[in-house]
Amino acid sequence: MDSDQEDEVPNVNFVPSLLFIKRGVAKANPDKVTLTPAELARIINETRDDLEEDGANGIDSSEDEENEDSAARLASRAQDQAGTSGNRSAGDEFGFENYEQESGEPVVRLASVAVVDPAENIQDEDDSEAEDEIIKPTDNLILVGHVQNDSASMEVYVFNDDEGSLYVHHDFLLPSPPLCIEWLSFDPGSDKPGNICAIGCMDPVITLWDLDIQDSLEPVCKLGSKGSTKKNKPKIGHSDAVLDLSWNKHLDHILASGSVDQSVILWDMEDGTPHTIIKEFGEKVQTLAFHPTRAEGLLVGSCDGMVKVFDCRTTTNDSASFLSWAVGGEVERVCWNHHSEFHFVASTNEGRIHYCDVRRPGETLWSKEVHEKEITGLVLSSKVRGMLATASADGTLKLWDIDEEDAKLVYKKNPKMGVIQCLDECPENPFMLAMGGDLKTKNFSVVNVLDNDVVTNVFKARFDPSYVPVASGERMNIEPPTEAMEEASISDDDDSDEDGN
C-alpha cells in the first residue's frame, strides 16, 4: 500500500523518519484553531528574529534563501490556517530527589492567545471528505517526516487495516528535516493523557506537537534553546542535531534524546529542562531506547562502535553507571527484546546485527552480516516472539527468525524505494510494516508481510495480540547494589522486585 504522490516529481523528495501510533489515542475530530491578529504577528516576528539570530551566530549564509522561503511559507500558512494549544502538567514520579535544577525556558503556553473555533470542525460539502476528517477508534495514525525540495514537514496519515485505507489527514511545517519522531501521552499542564509527538531535527531544539490540533503552526512547547545574544538568553540542551528520542512509558514526564553533540539528555518535561546530561560517548549518539519494563534501563548506541546500557537511578551529570559492548562500526539502531527482558539487538553501518545479554557485558551472543550496507531500520516485534525486521540502505527489507543462537532468514523484499531510511510496525498488527525511502517517485509505503506464505507459516501462529511484557525480580546488575541505589528506587514496582516479591 503506497501513499499518493505528486504529479510533478520534485528534485528532492524523501522520508527520513516515521512512526506508527496505536489506535484509540487520537480525537475523532481534531481541533482547528483560529489565531488572533496579535498571535499571528508574534509568530511571524519570532520566525524573523530566529532567522536573524541564526545569521548573527554564524549560520552558513548560503542557507539564507531557504530560510527566507521558509519564513514566507510560514507567514502565508499562518494567514490561511491555525494552530496551537496550551500545555499541561502532572505529578513527579521520577523520585530523583537531589538533582541540580538546570536553567531553562519555561514550557510554552499559548492557550491564552489561540482560540479553538468549533465551527471549523467538519464542515465539508462533500460527505466522503467529511468522513475522512473523522478519526475512527480502529484507525492508526502514522507520523511521516517528509522533506520535499527546501520544505520540511510532518504528515499525519490515517491508516485503517480492515478498510485498506491510507491518506494524509493533516500536516504541519517544520524548521528543518525531521530526523526522529517519538509519541508520548504526557501532556504538560494537564492531568489527562494527551496525544503528543516529539520531533528531533537538524536543529538542536526538540519540539513537542499536539496531534489533536490540526494544521498547527508552532509546537506546544520546545525542549532546549539555541540561545540569543540579542535577547540575552543562554543556550540550553543540545548544541547540534537530535538523532533519536525515547519516551519513558513508566516515568511519563521523562524523555531521552541523543545528539550529534555526543551527549544524551534526560528531559524533565514538567518544567521543560534537562534533568541529566550524559557525556559518556566518543562520537555522535545515533540511537537509544528505554527498557519496556524497567524504567531505569536506557539502551544507547553511538558512532564510536559502542552500545551501552545505563542505570538512570545512579547516573548523574558527573558520573554514570553503565554496561558496555564494543560491536565495531557505527551503531545505527538498537532495540530491546520484549519477550526476553535481558536481551537486545544492535545494528551497524557495516550491515551486521549483534544480539546481546545484559547479564554478559562485553560479549555478544552472536553477530551476523545480514545486509550489504548500513541497517537503518530495526524492529524486534513486541507481539510476535522472535520476529526481527531489518531494513537497509541497500534497498531491501528482510524478516528474520531469531533466538539466542542465531538469526534465520525468512523473507526478503525490495520495495523499490531507493535507500530505506526508516521502519516501524503497526502496534496492533505487527505484520503491517511502514517504510520510508529516498526514491523521488515512491518514498513511503505500508506492506503486509503475511502476503508471503513462508512468513505466514513461520510467524502467524506466534502472534499474541494480548501479550504485555512483565519484569522479573532478577536484577540487571549494571553495578553492585548499594545503599544509595536502594534509597533512589524510582517506583514501587522496583521496590517490590528488589525484595523478590
Side-chain angles (χ1 to χ4, degrees):
M1 182 182 301
D2 305 329
S3 62
D4 295 334
Q5 299 293 330
E6 300 287 344
D7 292 334
E8 183 178 346
V9 179
N11 293 326
V12 177
N13 192 19
F14 66 97
V15 171
S17 57
L18 56 74
L19 185 71
F20 250 112
I21 305 299
K22 64 183 179 180
R23 299 168 188 166
V25 298
K27 278 187 177 181
N29 299 319
D31 295 326
K32 293 184 179 180
V33 178
T34 301
L35 296 176
T36 66
E39 180 65 5
L40 175 60
R42 182 189 63 78
I43 292 173
I44 295 173
N45 289 334
E46 285 186 358
T47 302
R48 184 184 300 111
D49 289 345
D50 287 344
L51 295 176
E52 290 175 357
E53 190 67 33
D54 285 345
N57 288 337
I59 301 299
D60 188 351
S61 59
S62 66
E63 297 179 0
D64 284 352
E65 267 189 40
E66 287 186 18
N67 289 337
E68 289 173 6
D69 290 345
S70 177
R73 285 193 302 273
L74 179 60
S76 174
R77 187 163 184 167
Q79 292 165 356
D80 294 335
Q81 64 189 36
T84 188
S85 98
N87 289 331
R88 318 173 231 193
S89 181
D92 181 11
E93 301 174 0
F94 210 37
F96 287 174
E97 298 177 352
N98 299 312
Y99 69 87
E100 179 182 357
Q101 290 287 345
E102 301 287 342
S103 61
E105 295 181 328
V107 173
V108 180
R109 290 177 170 79
L110 302 171
S112 60
V113 288
V115 181
V116 176
D117 183 358
E120 292 275 354
N121 283 328
I122 317 299
Q123 288 192 353
D124 199 311
E125 294 178 1
D126 190 289
D127 290 341
S128 63
E129 290 184 10
E131 185 178 350
D132 284 346
E133 289 284 326
I134 300 173
I135 300 175
K136 298 185 284 294
T138 55
D139 289 336
N140 291 101
L141 299 184
I142 309 178
L143 309 183
V144 178
H146 188 196
V147 177
Q148 183 170 313
N149 293 333
D150 60 354
S151 174
S153 64
M154 194 188 75
E155 298 167 343
V156 181
Y157 278 78
V158 171
F159 169 73
N160 191 289
D161 189 7
D162 296 333
E163 298 174 1
S165 59
L166 178 68
Y167 60 91
V168 177
H169 187 276
H170 60 280
D171 67 347
F172 43 83
L173 295 175
L174 299 173
S176 62
L179 304 180
C180 53
I181 305 170
E182 178 67 309
W183 181 86
L184 50 144
S185 66
F186 181 80
D187 195 343
S190 174
D191 57 358
K192 297 179 180 179
N195 182 22
I196 307 296
C197 78
I199 300 178
C201 294
M202 296 295 291
D203 189 286
V205 178
I206 300 164
T207 55
L208 270 64
W209 301 79
D210 191 333
L211 297 173
D212 288 334
I213 296 178
Q214 190 168 326
D215 301 323
S216 298
L217 288 177
E218 60 180 349
V220 295
C221 70
K222 298 179 181 180
L223 300 177
S225 170
K226 290 183 287 186
S228 170
T229 54
K230 181 178 179 181
K231 299 178 181 178
N232 197 28
K233 290 183 179 179
K235 290 184 179 180
I236 301 168
H238 290 297
S239 60
D240 211 327
V242 177
L243 300 181
D244 203 11
L245 297 164
S246 181
W247 175 52
N248 194 317
K249 297 176 177 62
H250 306 283
L251 303 166
D252 63 0
H253 63 293
I254 299 297
L255 179 73
S257 59
S259 171
V260 173
D261 66 14
Q262 302 181 24
S263 75
V264 167
I265 295 181
L266 303 183
W267 295 91
D268 184 343
M269 291 185 289
E270 286 188 329
D271 57 16
T273 60
H275 176 285
T276 305
I277 301 177
I278 307 172
K279 298 181 179 180
E280 302 288 336
F281 310 100
E283 250 292 354
K284 60 186 177 182
V285 178
Q286 195 148 255
T287 175
L288 46 76
F290 274 113
H291 195 280
T293 61
R294 296 174 178 265
E296 76 277 8
L298 180 63
L299 176 63
V300 183
S302 51
C303 288
D304 56 2
M306 299 299 296
V307 178
K308 297 178 179 179
V309 175
F310 290 86
D311 186 337
C312 295
R313 296 172 297 183
T314 53
T315 294
T316 67
N317 291 343
D318 301 318
S319 64
S321 302
F322 61 88
L323 305 173
S324 62
W325 292 258
V327 296
E330 299 180 0
V331 182
E332 295 282 341
R333 306 300 303 163
V334 293
C335 62
W336 290 101
N337 189 339
H338 287 241
H339 296 266
S340 183
E341 63 178 330
F342 296 106
H343 295 94
F344 66 84
V345 186
S347 69
T348 70
N349 66 329
E350 297 175 343
R352 299 186 69 87
I353 54 176
H354 306 266
Y355 195 59
C356 304
D357 186 330
V358 297
R359 296 165 297 187
R360 297 167 62 178
E363 58 180 289
T364 57
L365 299 183
W366 52 261
S367 298
K368 190 164 191 168
E369 183 174 353
V370 298
H371 284 278
E372 297 176 359
K373 296 182 179 180
E374 62 264 29
I375 299 172
T376 52
L378 187 72
V379 177
L380 186 52
S381 178
S382 61
K383 302 290 185 183
V384 181
R385 179 182 291 273
M387 188 175 81
L388 176 70
T390 61
S392 171
D394 64 17
T396 61
L397 167 71
K398 297 181 181 181
L399 288 187
W400 305 86
D401 185 3
I402 73 166
D403 55 27
E404 293 188 26
E405 303 295 328
D406 196 10
K408 301 179 181 65
L409 181 63
V410 174
Y411 171 80
K412 177 180 177 180
K413 178 183 178 66
N414 185 341
K416 298 181 180 178
M417 301 174 62
V419 172
I420 301 177
Q421 302 200 351
C422 46
L423 173 72
D424 201 15
E425 70 172 4
C426 176
E428 293 80 11
N429 180 0
F431 301 110
M432 301 297 299
L433 298 175
M435 294 174 287
D438 71 350
L439 191 65
K440 297 176 184 178
T441 55
K442 179 186 176 185
N443 54 33
F444 172 54
S445 180
V446 179
V447 298
N448 184 356
V449 294
L450 282 185
D451 290 340
N452 180 274
D453 291 339
V454 177
V455 174
T456 300
N457 293 336
V458 173
F459 291 122
K460 189 173 183 180
R462 300 188 202 172
F463 176 39
D464 182 357
S466 62
Y467 177 78
V468 177
V470 178
S472 70
E474 187 178 352
R475 283 184 176 275
M476 282 191 177
N477 288 327
I478 293 179
E479 70 175 25
T482 65
E483 183 179 349
M485 284 179 63
E486 298 292 344
E487 293 175 355
S489 63
I490 57 179
S491 74
D492 293 338
D493 289 339
D494 286 334
D495 289 339
S496 63
D497 287 345
E498 290 166 4
D499 293 337
N501 297 326

